Amino acid sequence: MSESLPPRRFPGSGLAKGLAVTLRTMTRRTVTAQYPDVQPELPPRTRGVIALFEENCTVCMLCARECPDWCIYIDSHKETVPAAAPGGRERSRNVLDRFAIDFSLCMYCGICIEVCPFDALFWSPEFEYAETDILELTHERDKLREWMWTVPAPPALDPAAEEPKELAAARKTADKYAAEAEAEAQAAAAAAATPEAPSATPEAPSATPEAPSAAPDDTAPGPEGTP
């Protein structure tokens, strides 16, 4: 069986295609972006600058270890947390001292954001942070925290998509606590609506009247000289 041969090309067909593209572009009206007076419309997943949500950072160092440029600098120290309950043991936790990103070295690959297990790093579409001094491109944690205000809201979930397991578990726990709280409230309302039982029956008066005091004895001797 003979193999199918590629379509035959005429000499100069590639040149004709290129000239057609050139002519099509020449006849279009040019549009000049009036930047910086008019801000560009950026795609929703623009990689502008990396923002830090400091409260979520557990100093796991994953972002710094996976960064191919080694442009993330993290310092921390350990603190002892007292026992939550009597008889428990003390625990230690890492406290973040420094989180900095050198954007003069960063190649915007996004690996640090992808590997962060606690959602502490986010992409911001802001791109206007040029500096005259290269040292100013190292953003410390305060500057990275400011970029959080420019992070857009996440896109809406697909209504036909399956619910994430984390949301299902959180909703189940919330429903459980809500049911327990409602049961306690109903029990308290029922206890408040029920009248109190009467106190013990008062003591009935004694049927036997109290014996009168003894009468004076007639045989008792009278005053002296009296028979």
Side-chain angles (χ1 to χ4, degrees), residues 144-167:
L144 296 174
R145 179 61 185 267
E146 291 177 9
W147 293 120
M148 276 300 303
W149 298 105
T150 63
V151 174
L157 297 176
D158 186 355
E162 183 181 353
E163 185 180 36
K165 296 179 181 179
E166 295 83 2
L167 286 180

Side-chain angles (χ1 to χ4, degrees), residues 160-203:
E162 183 181 353
E163 185 180 36
K165 296 179 181 179
E166 295 83 2
L167 286 180
R171 184 174 290 106
K172 185 177 179 181
T173 305
D175 293 343
K176 178 184 175 183
Y177 287 151
E180 290 177 358
E182 187 178 355
E184 290 178 4
Q186 289 178 356
T194 305
E196 290 185 6
S199 57
T201 308
E203 240 181 87

Side-chain angles (χ1 to χ4, degrees), residues 10-227:
F10 296 98
S13 59
L15 178 62
K17 280 186 179 180
L19 291 174
V21 172
T22 304
L23 290 173
R24 216 169 30 242
T25 306
M26 288 176 61
T27 55
R28 289 179 185 171
R29 184 179 178 183
T30 58
V31 178
T32 303
Q34 302 298 327
Y35 177 83
D37 297 330
V38 178
Q39 293 293 322
E41 294 184 6
L42 301 174
R45 298 182 65 184
T46 298
R47 298 184 178 187
V49 70
I50 299 172
L52 170 68
F53 190 55
E54 188 177 334
E55 285 77 4
N56 285 359
C57 182
T58 60
V59 200
C60 64
M61 305 293 289
L62 270 177
C63 55
R65 287 199 299 264
E66 297 296 330
C67 177
D69 292 331
W70 291 87
C71 63
I72 300 176
Y73 312 110
I74 300 175
D75 292 331
S76 66
H77 69 277
K78 288 188 177 293
E79 283 186 359
T80 302
V81 181
R89 65 173 185 173
E90 296 179 343
R91 298 181 179 274
S92 63
R93 66 171 182 177
N94 290 323
V95 179
L96 185 66
D97 291 330
R98 185 194 183 202
F99 195 108
I101 300 178
D102 187 354
F103 286 102
S104 65
L105 298 177
C106 178
M107 64 179 186
Y108 303 90
C109 61
I111 292 178
C112 56
I113 298 174
E114 295 296 331
V115 300
C116 180
F118 301 105
D119 291 336
L121 297 173
F122 297 88
W123 277 119
S124 166
E126 295 295 324
F127 60 92
E128 297 176 320
Y129 52 93
E131 302 287 348
T132 55
D133 188 355
I134 194 173
L135 298 178
E136 299 296 327
L137 286 175
T138 301
H139 292 186
E140 300 291 337
R141 65 177 183 173
D142 295 336
K143 183 69 174 176
L144 296 174
R145 179 61 185 267
E146 291 177 9
W147 293 120
M148 276 300 303
W149 298 105
T150 63
V151 174
L157 297 176
D158 186 355
E162 183 181 353
E163 185 180 36
K165 296 179 181 179
E166 295 83 2
L167 286 180
R171 184 174 290 106
K172 185 177 179 181
T173 305
D175 293 343
K176 178 184 175 183
Y177 287 151
E180 290 177 358
E182 187 178 355
E184 290 178 4
Q186 289 178 356
T194 305
E196 290 185 6
S199 57
T201 308
E203 240 181 87
S206 177
T208 309
E210 216 173 285
S213 58
D217 193 357
D218 294 339
T219 59
E224 252 177 76
T226 304

